[in-house]
Amino acid sequence: MIRWLGAGLLAAFALAPEASAQTPADPAGFAAAADVTAQVAEMTRAMTPGQGFAWKPLLSSGATVAAIEIWRKPGRPAVHPDQAEYATVIAGAGTLVSGGTLEQPVTVKPDLIEGSRIVGGTTRPLAPGDVILIPAGVPHWFGITGDRLVLLGTKLAAKP
């Protein structure tokens, strides 16, 4: 079911007739499948051989940003205390560990706490079309299977 929803989102991108557009009559941001593909290609070319992660906004509205994330190496386990994270896998493969307890937490910045590992989390394989929603305050970690994991991710402010 979740893979089907993700595939539906990707199909919606593919069926769109226009390139990126935003007009006064329609304040919604839009990125066509070609825009997404071009940004992933541009980001991939720009990454240095040892670079493990790249992030670049695709669309934004105020503080909400939908960004392309390219993972070549796993990062550190993390928690975003006041932000939920919604993502769709658009290319590559990997692993998600979420839930459990973040060990040795260190506040890196107000919206990011990193740790050494997650204890007691749930492990799931990730493939194109998968959809992820990580509530604010939940530990998570992305592993990489193969050469990369590409996500279209958005952080959403948690409601007080």
Side-chain angles (χ1 to χ4, degrees):
M1 174 70 172
I2 289 178
R3 284 188 188 197
W4 180 83
L5 289 171
L9 288 172
L10 292 175
F13 277 128
L15 294 174
E18 300 283 327
S20 295
Q22 187 171 0
T23 65
D26 180 6
F30 174 78
D35 299 322
V36 176
T37 300
Q39 182 164 315
V40 170
E42 172 193 323
M43 291 172 67
T44 300
R45 281 190 304 273
M47 289 180 78
T48 60
Q51 186 177 350
F53 177 75
W55 179 92
K56 183 177 180 184
L58 180 67
L59 299 171
S60 64
S61 175
T64 303
V65 176
I68 299 293
E69 300 178 16
I70 300 176
W71 296 84
R72 287 188 174 162
K73 297 177 184 176
R76 297 179 54 82
V79 169
H80 305 287
D82 299 321
Q83 296 173 317
E85 188 165 356
Y86 170 80
T88 301
V89 179
I90 59 175
T95 303
L96 168 66
V97 177
S98 60
T101 304
L102 189 66
E103 284 204 338
Q104 301 175 337
V106 175
T107 301
V108 176
K109 51 187 181 176
D111 62 349
L112 177 63
I113 300 169
E114 293 182 338
S116 60
R117 67 185 188 128
I118 295 173
V119 176
T122 300
T123 302
R124 295 175 183 87
L126 296 175
D130 286 347
V131 177
I132 304 158
L133 179 59
I134 302 166
V138 173
H140 58 284
W141 174 84
F142 295 105
I144 290 60
T145 305
D147 65 338
R148 68 183 182 160
L149 174 65
V150 182
L151 305 174
L152 172 59
T154 302
K155 301 265 189 333
L156 305 166
K159 298 189 179 193

